[in-house]
Amino acid sequence: MPVRAEHDRAVLAALLGRDPVLHAYQLGDLDDFFWPYTSWFRRDEEVALLYHGAGTPTLLAFAPPGRAGRLAALLREVAPVLPARLWAHLSPGVEPALAGAFRMDASGPHHRMALTDPARLDGQVAAGTVLHAADLPALRRLYEVAYAGNWFNPRMLDTGQYVGVRDGGELVAVAGVHVFSPAYGVAALGNVTTHPRWRGRGLAAAAVTALCRRLRERVTHVTLNVKADNAAAVRLYGRLGFTRVADYGEYALRTHQR
């Protein structure tokens, strides 16, 4: 079967739903909230997503063990129609499929983690209140000093899945989501940070705990991405019940002609 543009959400949901943890971000992007910003490519049972709702487009292409070759075949055929510049999140072993068409600058290996032992949340301190649109200025100020360059879409506040911790009225820690889809049963944590002056007090852990308890009321799978060399974050999430379930690499791509 040659590569085709896939427009049927039911077909995509069935394919991606075979491994909802690996494909949590892609499943979430099937929601109306993100769907208009997506382009999907399919070859047999392999699927790749090009998300173009946040500046530079991002290609998501993940494969379970033993299927990297099939996904690579899809990417080789798709490469000529991809943008001249993009980000890519790729399962190990599929990178060579794009190397002929693009210069690939790696930003390092990452882990996909999933909340596999939610009972651990019961023994953790939870803190924070739900943030809303009115909190956007305070949230932007926090990100400017604590998480510059992070990917944050203000529309995500509309999900009601951002939890913030305040000190004297100042927002000093936050835990949020990149993906939240009750329809497809998945969520992905993101934009978690603490103001530099308040670090080391467990505020991020408390906000993540509160958020995870909230998310588990609405979705089945809670996931996150973390840099493999961020040992402190990996330990924190492990303490909260998350397990490393897959690895992938992040790359900045640009065509050789640019």
Side-chain angles (χ1 to χ4, degrees):
M1 177 181 179
V3 170
R4 54 172 289 182
E6 183 59 70
H7 305 289
D8 190 325
R9 275 191 270 194
V11 170
L12 291 166
L15 293 172
L16 299 170
R18 296 177 180 180
D19 194 337
V21 170
L22 181 65
H23 298 301
Y25 280 75
Q26 292 147 299
L27 283 167
D29 288 340
L30 294 176
D31 268 347
D32 290 343
F33 193 85
F34 290 118
W35 177 256
Y37 307 101
T38 63
S39 299
W40 300 85
F41 305 98
R42 175 187 167 206
R43 186 177 189 270
D44 295 324
E45 296 182 352
E46 309 307 320
V47 174
L49 162 65
L50 184 65
Y51 179 75
H52 41 83
T56 302
T58 300
L59 177 70
L60 303 180
F62 302 121
R67 297 184 67 93
R70 299 182 185 185
L71 182 59
L74 181 157
L75 294 179
R76 277 193 294 271
E77 294 186 42
V78 166
V81 301
L82 293 175
R85 293 177 181 268
L86 68 157
W87 300 106
H89 298 183
L90 307 173
S91 285
V94 305
E95 309 94 325
L98 296 173
F102 294 92
R103 172 180 172 180
M104 301 180 66
D105 296 319
S107 65
H110 288 65
H111 298 326
R112 171 69 49 81
M113 302 185 76
L115 183 59
T116 57
D117 189 6
R120 292 194 185 185
L121 296 171
D122 297 337
Q124 302 294 325
V125 174
T129 57
V130 176
L131 303 182
H132 302 286
D135 298 300
L136 180 58
L139 185 56
R140 287 193 184 280
R141 288 194 297 271
L142 175 60
Y143 285 145
E144 285 175 2
V145 298
Y147 201 179
N150 70 314
W151 183 83
F152 169 65
N153 185 336
R155 294 194 312 140
M156 294 307 293
L157 283 176
D158 296 338
T159 65
Q161 305 301 325
Y162 272 69
V163 172
V165 179
R166 292 180 171 84
D167 184 281
E170 180 181 0
L171 188 64
V172 297
V174 65
V177 292
H178 283 155
V179 164
F180 173 65
S181 175
Y184 296 101
V186 296
L189 301 188
N191 295 312
V192 178
T193 195
T194 303
H195 193 290
R197 293 199 305 270
W198 278 267
R199 288 176 182 165
R201 306 184 190 185
L203 298 182
V208 169
T209 298
L211 177 59
C212 286
R213 291 178 181 176
R214 183 178 180 84
L215 290 171
R216 292 192 67 246
E217 296 176 356
R218 304 284 303 279
V219 303
T220 304
H221 304 285
V222 180
T223 70
L224 60 89
N225 294 336
V226 61
K227 285 188 174 181
D229 62 1
N230 191 343
V234 172
R235 285 195 300 270
L236 165 64
Y237 292 124
R239 191 169 71 246
L240 299 182
F242 285 82
T243 301
R244 172 183 170 188
V245 295
D247 295 328
Y248 73 96
E250 293 193 2
Y251 302 86
L253 274 62
R254 60 179 180 178
T255 56
H256 292 299
Q257 292 75 26
R258 296 297 178 94

